[in-house]
Amino acid sequence: MPYEILIPRHVERQIAKIPHGFATRIMDDLEGFAGGLDYQRYDVRRVVDSPKTAPRYRMRSGNYRVLFFILHNRLVIEVISIRRKKTGMDY
């Protein structure tokens, strides 16, 4: 059963600033991951400093990184932010 993707208003504003081709790819990757939770295919990893009780995850999509929570009990992926990768990022 696919997970629902929640995108808050502040993340919608971040998406609006991203060029259309990249934004489409990011959303396609998010929807693909939500459909099957294939961590390896979509390069999803737990963020290093996130707590074990509510871990944050990051997904690579080109030069962009998507940060999100996975709420398994509600079948929801809640997106925290979408940013362009910069050199030296630790997640």
Side-chain angles (χ1 to χ4, degrees):
M1 179 173 217
Y3 280 56
E4 179 184 356
I5 301 171
L6 293 179
I7 300 177
R9 184 81 177 124
H10 71 278
V11 176
E12 288 178 2
R13 283 188 229 118
Q14 290 175 350
I15 293 171
K17 294 177 185 176
I18 297 172
H20 180 71
F22 291 117
T24 302
R25 179 179 175 186
I26 291 167
M27 294 309 296
D28 287 346
D29 286 348
L30 261 175
E31 291 170 5
F33 178 69
L37 294 187
D38 188 351
Y39 289 81
Q40 188 172 11
R41 178 177 179 193
Y42 293 99
D43 194 19
V44 173
R45 298 192 182 178
R46 191 170 76 82
V47 175
V48 175
D49 293 335
S50 66
K52 291 189 184 229
T53 55
R56 291 182 316 240
Y57 294 89
R58 72 105 176 113
M59 177 176 69
R60 255 184 5 179
S61 183
N63 286 336
Y64 289 87
R65 300 298 178 261
V66 180
L67 291 174
F68 56 90
F69 291 110
I70 300 176
L71 308 171
H72 293 288
N73 57 345
R74 293 178 29 208
L75 298 178
V76 170
I77 295 174
E78 183 178 354
V79 180
I80 302 167
S81 76
I82 299 175
R83 296 187 181 172
R84 189 174 187 135
K85 184 183 185 310
K86 298 177 183 172
T87 57
M89 293 176 91
D90 283 338
Y91 64 90

